[in-house]
Amino acid sequence: MGGRGSGRPPGFGADTVEGYPSIDVNWVRRAGCLIPGRHIFVNWRGSGGSTFWLSMRALPGRLRLTYCSGLTDVDYSVGLEHVPCHFGGSRPLFICTGVVDGRRCGRRAAKLYKKGAYFLCRHCHRLTYKCQQERPWDRAARRSDKIRKRLGDEGGMYETFPEKPPRMWWRTYFRLFDRAMDAAAEAEAALLDR
């Protein structure tokens, strides 16, 4: 029993961040809602046709979130921290308000996700990225397909490699060709090795 390739892949069955509404601090900043006193409303349409509204009000050093979750109204604040950048300036990040196993999270995060009643970081909700659940051959095949799409091709890794696009350097084309072929060979080897 057991052995190489047995069991579930890492993250199998775990919820992914792509399946939940999120707040991105960079989008909030571009919308102008990090200036104290500003106020915006956001409306999401769920997969079942339900709508979800969110009110964000900027306060000094925090963002107040108000929305309806199920039958209850939720109203709380999320802390904001401005982290200095290496070449000057700063960028804002949320401070997660989650409590997991009796310990306050306090992580800095660019995105907060709503799973359940509150917007928390992905670690508190135990969310993974979809690509973390891919098997090695899927990941390598996706890398090869990504290069092909960059060159204007829609086919898979077993199709003829696309021609060099106009205005692309030959050395760039050959470098991409080598990377795509390496990824395709890695995908085939991982698929045969399972």
Side-chain angles (χ1 to χ4, degrees):
M1 289 186 67
R4 185 170 182 196
S6 66
R8 292 182 174 187
F12 179 79
D15 291 335
T16 62
V17 297
E18 290 86 0
Y20 293 94
S22 65
I23 305 172
D24 186 347
V25 74
N26 295 313
W27 180 86
V28 174
R29 180 183 49 80
R30 284 191 302 270
C33 194
L34 292 184
I35 301 167
R38 294 281 177 96
H39 186 227
I40 62 171
F41 286 97
V42 180
N43 195 8
W44 279 286
R45 181 163 304 280
S47 58
S50 62
T51 58
F52 170 75
W53 60 269
L54 168 69
S55 166
M56 290 185 270
R57 181 178 300 278
L59 302 169
R62 58 195 170 107
L63 189 66
R64 184 175 176 185
L65 306 175
T66 308
Y67 54 93
C68 184
S69 180
L71 298 175
T72 60
D73 289 338
V74 180
D75 185 0
Y76 66 101
S77 294
V78 175
L80 290 169
E81 185 175 329
H82 288 270
V83 179
C85 296
H86 290 292
F87 295 109
S90 65
R91 64 184 181 127
L93 292 173
F94 292 123
I95 304 298
C96 180
T97 59
V99 177
V100 178
D101 300 328
R103 295 175 60 196
R104 183 174 164 85
C105 176
R107 272 191 174 96
R108 295 186 289 198
K111 280 190 174 185
L112 298 178
Y113 301 92
K114 184 184 180 298
K115 177 185 175 186
Y118 297 100
F119 281 94
L120 303 174
C121 70
R122 72 181 187 90
H123 299 282
C124 289
H125 284 312
R126 292 183 171 88
L127 298 174
T128 63
Y129 296 108
K130 195 178 282 187
C131 66
Q132 288 176 308
Q133 296 183 14
E134 288 181 332
R135 293 189 167 105
W137 58 85
D138 289 332
R139 192 172 299 126
R142 184 172 48 85
R143 233 181 10 251
S144 175
D145 287 344
K146 184 177 177 182
I147 292 171
R148 289 172 170 276
K149 285 179 184 172
R150 180 177 171 188
L151 297 173
D153 188 29
E154 295 299 321
M157 65 182 197
Y158 294 111
E159 300 294 325
T160 307
F161 198 76
E163 294 182 13
K164 182 184 85 65
R167 301 172 59 131
M168 178 181 274
W169 290 65
W170 279 104
R171 67 176 178 233
T172 303
Y173 176 75
F174 288 132
R175 186 183 74 239
L176 293 174
F177 176 83
D178 289 341
R179 285 185 186 169
M181 292 302 125
D182 290 345
E186 183 182 333
E188 287 180 6
L191 188 59
L192 294 174
D193 218 16
R194 64 177 182 156

